[in-house]
Amino acid sequence: MKDKLHQLKDTALTEIEQANSKQELNQVKVKYLGKKGPITEILRGMGSLSKEERPLIGKLANEIREEIAKLINEKEETIAQKALEERLKQETIDVTLPGKKVLKGNRHPLTRVIEEIEDIFIGMGFEIAEGPEVESDYYNFEALNLPKEHPARDMQDSFYITEEVLMRTHTSPVQIRTMKSKNGIGPVKIICPGKVYRRDDDDATHSHQFTQIEGLVVDEHITMSDLKGVLLNFAKKMYGEKAKIRLRPSFFPFTEPSAEVDVSCMMCGGEGCRVCKNTGWIEILGAGMVHPRVLEMSGFDPERYTGFAFGMGVERIAMLKYGIEDIRHFYTNDLRFLEQFKRM
Ligand code: 2NL
């Protein structure tokens, strides 16, 4: 009996030793310490032993049982400790690893210039109006005092979709639509930014699609001096307080009188340089007093209301501002170009 117990202890110890997981150890625990285990069996069969042997064997069996239990507990702790170490090793964060680079985008240079111009005019109480890029002949030409025979309406110069429908050649139709929506009651004070289309062979300074911002003010008692005041303030906000403007006589079918507007050269301050071709002035706008026929066609009484309007090409302004030499850079989306406008 004694030998059997010692043998039992030895095999139990080996099995505890070999158990490498919680589950394996649990099997050993059930096998040796469970109700149906060999020790319980030996204790149960003690009836057949002599009176002298009984307490000795009982004591030994309990000692062995306790030792096995103790070793199992110790092994349990070792396994738990190992598992914890393994987990910590897997969860280790290497704080010396370089961070993941987040690619940051930036606004397109044209968008930036549009927003800058919008902000200046919003500061003067203007509202922003937008409208369709596909327009009817009426809104694009007829309502702007450009009758059917007018050379500007040549099929060769515009993208026609049908005889009556075309890609807008300026943002003026948005202004016509806004005026019409007012039912002849002023004021109107808007700027209209947007894409416009003209049939043109693309080169460094021409594009068949470009961006225009037009402005329109209609109210009682609006005069040419209002036009000059608004545009001078725009030039100062855009190019600095020292900026000056000058108006030269011009012609547009939709304004009378009409003017080309120059701003003092932002490169040399008017001294004369390569950019202004030594004139000290740079042309940035066309403008004029809204033609009475245009007011009338859009529902405003030209006896009561007057107005001024202006238009500018955004690409040209952006090219002057950033020193861009080819208009095609705006549309080819070369990242080497676009990335130069980060945090500028
Ligand atoms: C330019 C010149 C101009 C206008 C646009 C306009 C619009 C209405 C009535 C009258 Cl609804 N005029 N627009 C007036 C003068 C000039 O643009 O050089 N654009 C790039």
Side-chain angles (χ1 to χ4, degrees):
M1 196 69 100
K2 221 169 144 185
D3 289 346
K4 212 173 159 189
L5 274 168
H6 279 296
Q7 221 176 347
L8 194 70
K9 181 183 152 190
D10 286 345
T11 50
L13 292 196
T14 321
E15 281 179 42
I16 291 167
E17 191 94 5
Q18 282 168 355
N20 272 322
S21 70
K22 221 174 146 182
Q23 289 92 322
E24 275 173 33
L25 191 66
N26 217 33
Q27 277 169 12
V28 178
K29 191 174 179 177
V30 172
K31 182 171 167 187
Y32 289 97
L33 304 181
K35 277 199 180 108
K36 288 174 188 161
I39 296 176
T40 318
E41 209 161 291
I42 286 166
L43 289 173
R44 226 183 260 142
M46 284 215 302
S48 61
L49 295 175
S50 67
K51 253 189 187 161
E52 295 75 33
E53 263 185 316
R54 226 179 275 167
L56 292 174
I57 295 297
K59 194 172 167 242
L60 183 64
N62 276 326
E63 276 169 11
I64 286 172
R65 188 194 177 88
E66 259 162 47
E67 185 160 3
I68 291 172
K70 190 181 137 219
L71 286 168
I72 285 174
N73 275 343
E74 279 173 13
K75 184 79 186 204
E76 258 171 6
E77 257 171 57
T78 318
I79 286 171
Q81 186 65 29
K82 254 197 195 147
L84 179 67
E85 270 167 28
E86 193 63 36
R87 219 182 81 206
L88 287 176
K89 212 161 128 190
Q90 273 176 10
E91 288 177 5
T92 301
I93 294 164
D94 183 353
V95 293
T96 67
L97 277 174
K100 271 190 196 141
K101 198 170 178 184
V102 179
L103 290 174
K104 245 180 156 181
N106 54 282
R107 286 192 196 282
H108 191 279
L110 280 178
T111 308
R112 292 175 54 143
V113 172
I114 291 168
E115 288 179 354
E116 190 180 347
I117 295 171
E118 283 177 350
D119 285 346
I120 294 170
F121 282 100
I122 286 167
M124 289 190 266
F126 283 70
E127 287 180 53
I128 294 164
E130 287 179 317
E133 290 177 25
V134 179
E135 264 297 359
S136 68
D137 179 273
Y138 174 81
Y139 283 108
N140 195 77
F141 291 131
E142 198 80 27
L144 282 150
N145 197 31
L146 281 142
K148 285 261 191 265
E149 327 75 55
H150 198 279
R153 289 175 67 158
D154 197 324
M155 296 285 283
Q156 308 297 312
D157 297 333
S158 312
F159 290 109
Y160 276 87
I161 289 153
T162 67
E163 289 240 328
E164 287 297 317
V165 178
L166 74 158
M167 302 305 291
R168 67 182 180 194
T169 59
H170 40 208
T171 55
S172 314
V174 182
Q175 293 164 297
I176 299 294
R177 287 173 182 277
T178 306
M179 277 194 282
K180 287 216 171 196
S181 74
K182 302 280 181 182
N183 296 315
I185 299 159
V188 177
K189 200 171 176 188
I190 51 169
I191 58 161
C192 306
K195 293 196 215 23
V196 299
Y197 304 83
R198 292 184 194 173
R199 274 176 80 159
D200 224 338
D201 291 321
D202 292 2
D203 63 27
T205 51
H206 296 83
S207 174
H208 64 281
Q209 180 212 295
F210 60 100
T211 316
Q212 203 190 20
I213 295 182
E214 283 194 48
L216 174 72
V217 174
V218 177
D219 205 353
E220 293 177 16
H221 315 299
I222 296 293
T223 70
M224 197 95 182
S225 70
D226 295 309
L227 167 65
K228 285 178 74 174
V230 164
L231 293 184
L232 177 60
N233 189 50
F234 166 67
K236 285 176 183 285
K237 292 285 179 295
M238 190 80 191
Y239 297 109
E241 282 301 317
K242 284 192 178 136
K244 292 184 179 70
I245 60 164
R246 75 173 182 188
L247 273 60
R248 288 178 288 110
S250 186
F251 175 82
F252 300 110
F254 28 87
T255 47
E256 181 59 36
S258 304
E260 306 281 355
V261 183
D262 297 341
V263 61
S264 49
C265 182
M266 55 293 255
M267 286 302 170
C268 62
E271 293 294 308
C273 69
R274 201 175 56 89
V275 175
C276 61
K277 298 191 182 82
N278 275 317
T279 63
W281 296 96
I282 290 178
E283 187 191 323
I284 57 160
L285 291 140
M289 300 306 291
V290 180
H291 197 292
R293 275 221 284 279
V294 173
L295 287 173
E296 197 165 22
M297 278 188 277
S298 289
F300 280 86
D301 177 2
E303 296 294 328
R304 184 175 164 200
Y305 285 100
T306 50
F308 68 81
F310 56 88
M312 59 188 128
V314 181
E315 281 80 355
R316 187 174 148 70
I317 289 172
M319 286 166 86
L320 288 165
K321 182 180 171 89
Y322 297 119
I324 297 160
E325 80 293 352
D326 194 319
I327 197 169
R328 290 167 292 195
H329 283 310
F330 291 119
Y331 316 112
T332 38
N333 289 328
D334 187 330
L335 286 176
R336 291 170 301 180
F337 171 75
L338 297 173
E339 280 174 348
Q340 292 178 54
F341 300 92
K342 274 184 182 161
R343 273 173 288 139
M344 263 175 65

